Amino acid sequence: MGEILLWGAQVIIALFEVWLCYQFLFITVLENDCLDRKERMIECGNIVVVGMMLAANRSILYFSYVAFFICIAVTSICLIWILKREIVLNIGLVTLYFSLVSLLDFLLAFISMVFLQQQFEHKVYLTASFWQVFILIISRLIIFVTFSEAARRKVIEINIRDYKKILSSGSIVFCVILRRYHHFLSKMVEGELEMAGGSTGFSLAVLVAAILFTGMILLKNKEIQKEHAFLISRDEMVEQKYQEMAQLIEKNRELVHDINNHLVILNGYAQEGECEKIRLYIKKISDNLFGEDIEVWSGNKTLDMLLSQKNSVSEKLGIKFDVEIVQFARLPFTDNQICALFGNLLDNALEACERMKGSERWIRIKLERHNRMLFIEISNSIEEKPVRDSVGWVTSKRNDGTHGYGLKSAERVVQEYGGIMSHQVSEHIFSTNLTFFDVDKA
């Protein structure tokens, strides 16, 4: 009866361990809500097969390198099958997880060695026992609590792909440490080294803590560099949009300056009764002066200038540009924020349409106000459904080092005014919906 209970406990612990691996992946590279039925089956199959293998192995030996690498290989293959990209990053994350779990098992094993001494070999290392089960339960609970706290505080919700070199290097370092301390553990069990579980465990804890601390500093430094690049990129984008609008404003000033001259000429034709000349001259003015004039969509000058500029770009690219706005002059945003919000979202829409090859390309802007609430919808045609992970939309650009800054800049404006941004994706349509609740107060 005791052996059955131990075997059942080992199976539950092993299944829980592999399940925890997927929880780690869900807060790094996987999107839980986006898995289809086939991918769910792959996940469950991975958990069951690897979990049963680990349980069988631990009933014979506390740790096995063969089982360790089989876990990494099978889970990595399943993850690559689901994601179909980022092979190096996926293998690195899986290796990092199982390495940390194994090192924590070693640390607790060294601590238990202090209490068990010579009995450690038979009660933990070579035989399935309640001591072994207790150590494994404590280890997995520590991992579970750590992941739960990290997910709650959004510690790991970063674009993990930007840090794949650091993560891959960390997984290799942990594998080397694992190999070294497994050597110490096995030699202590065989009697070739003194059973110094306390000092060995302490050195392992200090070493792992130092590496994790160094890794956190590197990640933080990388994040600061990205934030700096974001600020520079945001300033460049805002400056570019201001330059575009400044050109439109300057052109309008030239038009206003020429109006007096045009009026003089028209007045002369009128005095001479030259109606046909007046008609032709007015037509010429319309073609030359008002052909690219700013169309009034919203009543807000800055937004109308921006929409006119994007409409002009769309016409040159052969993209249908539809605007549906109830006119009102007042918006809660500054000119700078209008550029950041509408400009970046429309730039993303234009880029998505540019990537389309044969299908009909279009962009649609809807802006409505009901009482104090403001609703904005920017939708566009797409050729294929974009990929989303736990962090956000995965770029299809070749140079993705600074991707996503336009969307982040728009999100900052939404957050500043207490709004909500959501995205809807269908087979050939991508929509961004913005809701602001108290426009008058803002």
Side-chain angles (χ1 to χ4, degrees):
M1 186 65 181
E3 292 181 358
I4 296 176
L5 288 175
L6 284 173
W7 167 249
Q10 289 280 13
V11 170
I12 293 172
I13 292 169
L15 293 175
F16 183 63
E17 177 182 341
V18 187
W19 177 83
L20 275 177
C21 178
Y22 273 92
Q23 303 316 300
F24 172 64
L25 297 173
F26 283 137
I27 56 178
T28 51
V29 292
L30 280 179
E31 181 71 14
N32 195 9
D33 298 333
C34 294
L35 298 187
D36 57 26
R37 185 176 179 181
K38 181 181 178 182
E39 292 166 344
R40 290 288 183 192
M41 291 177 64
I42 293 173
E43 175 194 350
C44 294
N46 184 189
I47 293 173
V48 172
V49 170
V50 174
M52 296 298 293
M53 185 270 297
L54 279 174
N57 177 79
R58 286 181 183 140
S59 63
I60 303 171
L61 191 64
Y62 185 70
F63 177 82
S64 166
Y65 264 109
V66 174
F68 174 74
F69 286 116
I70 289 176
C71 287
I72 293 174
V74 174
T75 306
S76 297
I77 290 171
C78 292
L79 180 59
I80 293 167
W81 197 338
I82 293 173
L83 287 176
K84 299 178 179 62
R85 64 178 187 276
E86 300 287 358
I87 296 176
V88 175
L89 176 62
N90 295 336
I91 295 174
L93 287 172
V94 173
T95 304
L96 182 65
Y97 168 78
F98 282 108
S99 297
L100 285 172
V101 172
S102 299
L103 286 170
L104 186 55
D105 288 343
F106 282 9
L107 176 60
L108 295 177
F110 285 126
I111 294 173
S112 68
M113 189 183 292
V114 176
F115 300 97
L116 296 175
Q117 292 297 323
Q118 301 302 324
Q119 298 179 32
F120 173 80
E121 177 181 356
H122 299 290
K123 287 193 173 184
V124 175
Y125 194 76
L126 296 177
T127 308
S129 66
F130 287 105
W131 262 98
Q132 186 189 83
V133 168
F134 177 74
I135 290 173
L136 297 177
I137 289 175
I138 296 299
S139 175
R140 275 87 192 137
L141 285 177
I142 292 173
I143 296 292
F144 176 75
V145 171
T146 302
F147 285 173
S148 299
E149 188 66 14
R152 186 180 70 83
R153 297 191 178 187
K154 300 182 179 181
V155 174
I156 316 180
E157 289 190 0
I158 57 176
N159 191 355
I160 209 74
R161 290 171 180 80
D162 294 336
Y163 310 97
K164 57 186 176 183
K165 291 183 179 179
I166 297 175
L167 294 170
S168 299
S169 300
S171 63
I172 293 173
V173 171
F174 282 129
C175 282
V176 172
I177 295 174
L178 185 68
R179 177 71 182 89
R180 184 62 176 169
Y181 277 86
H182 179 251
H183 172 76
F184 290 153
L185 186 62
S186 59
K187 291 300 181 183
M188 289 179 185
V189 171
E190 293 169 3
E192 296 183 19
L193 290 176
E194 180 185 354
M195 281 198 172
S199 59
T200 309
F202 179 76
S203 66
L204 174 59
V206 171
L207 184 58
V208 171
I211 294 173
L212 290 175
F213 181 72
T214 303
M216 289 175 64
I217 291 177
L218 291 174
L219 290 174
K220 187 65 177 177
N221 182 61
K222 184 79 172 178
E223 189 68 18
I224 292 173
Q225 291 178 356
K226 281 173 58 63
E227 185 70 16
H228 178 67
F230 162 67
L231 294 174
I232 293 176
S233 176
R234 184 185 66 178
D235 291 341
E236 289 176 350
M237 287 187 291
V238 171
E239 178 65 23
Q240 178 185 355
K241 289 177 175 60
Y242 268 123
Q243 290 296 331
E244 292 170 353
M245 286 192 294
Q247 292 175 3
L248 290 173
I249 292 171
E250 184 63 27
K251 186 174 182 179
N252 283 344
R253 287 175 178 170
E254 293 176 3
L255 297 180
V256 172
H257 183 268
D258 291 340
I259 284 177
N260 289 332
N261 295 326
H262 294 312
L263 290 176
V264 170
I265 294 174
L266 289 171
N267 186 51
Y269 286 147
Q271 289 178 356
E272 297 176 3
E274 299 285 352
C275 295
E276 181 64 18
K277 289 184 178 180
I278 291 175
R279 187 185 67 80
L280 292 174
Y281 193 81
I282 291 175
K283 184 178 184 301
K284 183 179 179 181
I285 293 175
S286 299
D287 292 340
N288 294 335
L289 302 185
F290 300 107
E292 296 183 4
D293 196 12
I294 297 173
E295 185 171 348
V296 178
W297 278 297
S298 68
N300 180 282
K301 293 182 180 179
T302 303
L303 179 57
D304 288 340
M305 284 190 289
L306 182 63
L307 291 175
S308 296
Q309 192 269 334
K310 300 304 177 187
N311 183 33
S312 177
V313 174
S314 298
E315 288 179 354
K316 293 176 182 178
L317 296 174
I319 300 170
K320 187 177 180 182
F321 194 85
D322 291 328
V323 180
E324 185 178 331
I325 297 178
V326 177
Q327 290 189 17
F328 49 87
R330 186 177 179 276
L331 285 173
F333 319 110
T334 65
D335 291 347
N336 191 358
Q337 290 169 336
I338 288 174
C339 290
L341 185 63
F342 290 92
N344 287 314
L345 293 177
L346 288 173
D347 284 343
N348 289 344
L350 284 167
E351 289 175 6
C353 289
E354 278 190 273
R355 288 195 292 269
M356 298 179 65
K357 296 179 181 178
S359 306
E360 181 182 358
R361 303 187 298 177
W362 54 267
I363 296 173
R364 185 179 298 113
I365 302 101
K366 292 179 66 177
L367 195 148
E368 296 178 314
R369 177 171 175 174
H370 297 290
N371 296 324
R372 294 186 176 183
M373 297 181 68
L374 178 65
F375 302 94
I376 300 170
E377 179 183 342
I378 298 177
S379 54
N380 59 273
S381 57
I382 53 175
E383 194 164 42
E384 58 182 14
K385 201 171 181 179
V387 179
R388 183 181 177 90
D389 60 15
S390 61
V391 179
W393 301 104
V394 179
T395 181
S396 59
K397 300 176 184 177
R398 291 184 180 179
N399 180 18
D400 62 350
T402 58
H403 83 277
Y405 289 142
L407 185 58
K408 289 180 181 178
S409 183
E411 288 173 347
R412 286 175 183 265
V413 178
V414 175
Q415 292 173 1
E416 183 174 344
Y417 287 89
I420 296 176
M421 175 185 287
S422 62
H423 306 281
Q424 294 180 350
V425 185
S426 61
E427 188 174 356
H428 296 296
I429 301 175
F430 184 92
S431 298
T432 299
N433 298 284
L434 310 176
T435 304
F436 299 91
F437 296 98
D438 198 344
V439 177
D440 293 336
K441 185 177 180 181

